[in-house]
Amino acid sequence: MSSALDAFTRRESQIRSYCRSFPVLFERASGAELIAEDGRRYIDFLAGCSTLNYGHNDPDMKLALVDYILRDGVTHGLDMYTEAKADFIEAFETHILKPRDMDYRLQFCGPTGANAVEAALKLARKVTGRQQVVAFTNGFHGVTLGALAATGNSYHRGGAGRPLEGVTRMPYDGYLEQGTKGLDLMARMLDDPSSGMEPPAAFIVETVQGEGGLNVASAEWMRGLEKLARKHGAFLIVDDIQAGCGRTGSFFSFEEMGISPDVITMAKSLSGLGLPFAMVLLKPEHDVWGPAEHNGTFRGNNHAFVTAKVTLEKFWTDDSFARQVRDKGDHLARRLAEIAGKHNYGTKGRGMFRGIDVRDGEIASAICAAGFERGLIIETSGPNDEVVKVLAPLTIKQETLDAGLDILAEAFEVTHRAAAAA
Ligand SMILES: Cc1ncc(COP(=O)(O)O)c(C=O)c1O
């Protein structure tokens, strides 16, 4: 191991994780590539877990930020009115809300996804006066205690060190055997005053479960869920933290589904450049917050406002970027199906949010390791880390996407050859 890494093993907490899979010192990053200290280039199919949908260090975002810093734009202003915030709000209204006929207030919370989820859950409980929230099998919503209660993963839940309360778990779309409808079960339980299920404050759901293994909810299921929420006076919260900002082929992941969530949580690729920035979108009639009721020193990151505005003006003034993402997603689906088909596996996901289910965490991890040896950064997801997940930047060039997929195909080959020989 390079001596440059000694500081990490000597001083950084055992909590470190991704760096264990990719133990090199990264020095620079550009577009869809990370560059190590020895000059080796890696194609990035992890993209900060969908935080870098527009790639590393987009030149227009960099320029706007450098210009803002050099002219002494406000870096930190608590939640005071700043030029950067005003510009972002106006751009979000113009390019995202108005063209989609969406009427939402913007709440700037602490800069992590988990903080946006905490705010969303608090708001649902405050408005409805209820405590229980329905979350779904394999859902991932963050690791602070409120969000963690809604997260399914037992490893993360185990880290809480105390009971996680206030959440009822229900089956996600496709969780039960074919023909068994989880929504029908929920509907029946909610209608039965003796079922033991309390009327919920909210249903919190991802349209595609990123950490949970790329499970996809159908539009029909999402509409059924919205109907249940309406019938029982509960919020529908769509957690678009990983699936949003274009990952599935539209700005919001639910745009084609004909639903209108009460609350939408956003983070990850919102700033575009990878700066911490999270936001809650809430319907105006739910905006019952008192001033600073959910506060935080870093609510509203002015540098992120600057780069986020660039993302909106560069990628979202019309449908052309979304169309490109959908085309790339179709190409990705075809290539993954070829790789999976050769080894008798299935593919999962939607848009540029796809992967291969190898049904075994050890095999998936060996494939990712073989990919890394060959210059590809890729990770797994799913309850047993059994899904090899492609999260390439949406802006990746076709030839780079194909080069990464060639490496992935080779990683599958060598892993299976090695397993067969063992
Ligand atoms: C759907 C979803 N919600 C919430 C979170 C938590 O976001 P953060 O890690 O920024 O707290 C994540 C992170 O992966 C996520 O994928």
Side-chain angles (χ1 to χ4, degrees):
M1 195 181 274
S2 149
S3 62
L5 301 186
D6 288 352
F8 304 106
T9 49
R10 190 173 65 246
R11 280 289 161 205
E12 195 181 356
S13 160
Q14 293 296 340
I15 197 99
R16 61 194 193 278
S17 67
Y18 289 113
C19 52
R20 295 174 191 268
S21 308
F22 314 113
V24 296
L25 192 76
F26 293 107
E27 212 173 62
R28 285 174 300 125
S30 178
E33 286 187 333
L34 276 157
I35 301 135
E37 57 166 346
D38 61 1
R40 185 155 188 212
R41 305 179 90 86
Y42 294 84
I43 298 174
D44 189 0
F45 274 12
L46 179 57
C49 257
S50 207
T51 301
L52 297 160
N53 282 4
Y54 314 101
H56 292 270
N57 290 322
D58 176 277
D60 298 311
M61 295 178 208
K62 272 194 311 190
L63 272 181
L65 182 56
V66 167
D67 175 62
Y68 182 81
I69 291 171
L70 290 182
R71 62 188 166 82
D72 279 342
V74 176
T75 295
H76 179 85
L78 295 168
D79 73 343
M80 283 190 256
Y81 299 144
T82 62
E83 185 197 23
K85 194 201 279 195
D87 289 350
F88 169 75
I89 292 175
E90 272 168 27
F92 197 80
E93 210 172 27
T94 305
H95 303 304
I96 302 298
L97 295 180
K98 283 195 177 145
R100 291 164 182 77
D101 204 15
M102 290 170 76
D103 186 12
Y104 286 83
R105 293 261 168 90
L106 276 51
Q107 178 185 351
F108 302 113
C109 53
T112 64
N115 197 261
V117 169
E118 296 288 349
L121 298 179
K122 277 190 196 174
L123 183 70
R125 290 180 171 124
K126 182 176 162 79
V127 170
T128 61
R130 299 172 181 173
Q131 293 195 1
Q132 284 299 116
V133 164
V134 174
F136 294 92
T137 49
N138 291 308
F140 186 89
H141 301 287
V143 296
T144 49
L145 288 181
L148 187 56
T151 290
N153 184 289
S154 58
Y155 176 70
H156 291 113
R157 292 175 68 85
R162 50 150 295 143
L164 294 166
E165 291 158 350
V167 171
T168 306
R169 185 84 34 198
M170 281 288 157
Y172 190 68
D173 192 13
Y175 186 76
L176 300 173
E177 306 79 58
Q178 286 245 305
T180 317
K181 290 228 162 82
L183 272 188
D184 292 349
L185 168 76
M186 244 188 311
R188 185 137 171 216
M189 289 179 77
L190 285 166
D191 279 340
D192 178 355
S194 254
S195 69
M197 184 171 178
E198 286 176 29
F203 296 89
I204 181 164
V205 67
E206 300 153 270
T207 61
V208 181
Q209 294 183 320
E211 298 308 297
L214 295 175
N215 308 308
V216 175
S218 68
E220 189 196 353
W221 189 85
M222 289 294 299
R223 282 194 293 271
L225 188 63
E226 182 181 59
K227 231 165 130 187
L228 265 188
R230 300 281 168 261
K231 179 172 175 191
H232 293 279
F235 272 31
L236 177 65
I237 302 171
V238 171
D239 181 347
D240 233 11
I241 285 168
Q242 191 162 159
C245 296
R247 178 56 57 188
T248 62
S250 49
F251 185 82
F252 296 108
S253 66
F254 54 83
E255 277 178 38
E256 309 284 300
M257 292 180 163
I259 59 166
S260 176
D262 296 280
V263 172
I264 304 155
T265 52
M266 308 200 72
K268 291 204 188 272
S269 273
L270 199 52
S271 81
L273 194 66
L275 299 173
F277 181 20
M279 178 167 84
V280 180
L281 301 181
L282 52 138
K283 290 207 162 159
E285 63 269 29
H286 300 321
D287 193 9
V288 298
W289 289 118
E293 202 175 350
H294 180 84
N295 71 6
T297 305
F298 293 104
R299 61 189 190 281
N301 173 347
N302 282 288
H303 287 177
F305 287 139
V306 171
T307 55
K309 174 175 174 263
V310 177
T311 70
L312 302 177
E313 291 175 345
K314 183 165 175 175
F315 297 103
W316 297 105
T317 54
D318 60 27
D319 192 40
S320 54
F321 179 64
R323 258 187 286 119
Q324 282 168 29
V325 174
R326 289 196 287 272
D327 289 347
K328 242 178 242 174
D330 291 343
H331 178 74
L332 174 63
R334 280 192 295 275
R335 291 241 20 213
L336 289 182
E338 271 165 32
I339 300 171
K342 264 192 174 171
H343 303 281
N344 250 335
Y345 296 134
T347 59
K348 296 175 88 176
R350 184 153 83 76
M352 282 288 279
F353 204 12
R354 294 183 191 270
I356 298 178
D357 183 356
V358 306
R359 302 186 292 271
D360 180 314
E362 273 181 37
I363 296 178
S365 152
I367 290 166
C368 293
F372 182 62
E373 277 170 28
R374 290 161 180 76
L376 180 68
I377 292 176
I378 188 164
E379 262 290 356
T380 59
S381 81
N384 299 300
D385 299 319
E386 73 282 17
V387 178
V388 177
K389 173 164 119 170
V390 177
L391 278 178
L394 309 180
T395 50
I396 192 169
K397 292 197 181 87
Q398 183 79 25
E399 58 267 29
T400 315
L401 179 61
D402 277 325
L405 290 167
D406 290 345
I407 297 177
L408 187 62
E410 199 186 323
F412 268 77
E413 289 298 332
V414 293
T415 304
H416 288 91
R417 232 180 288 136

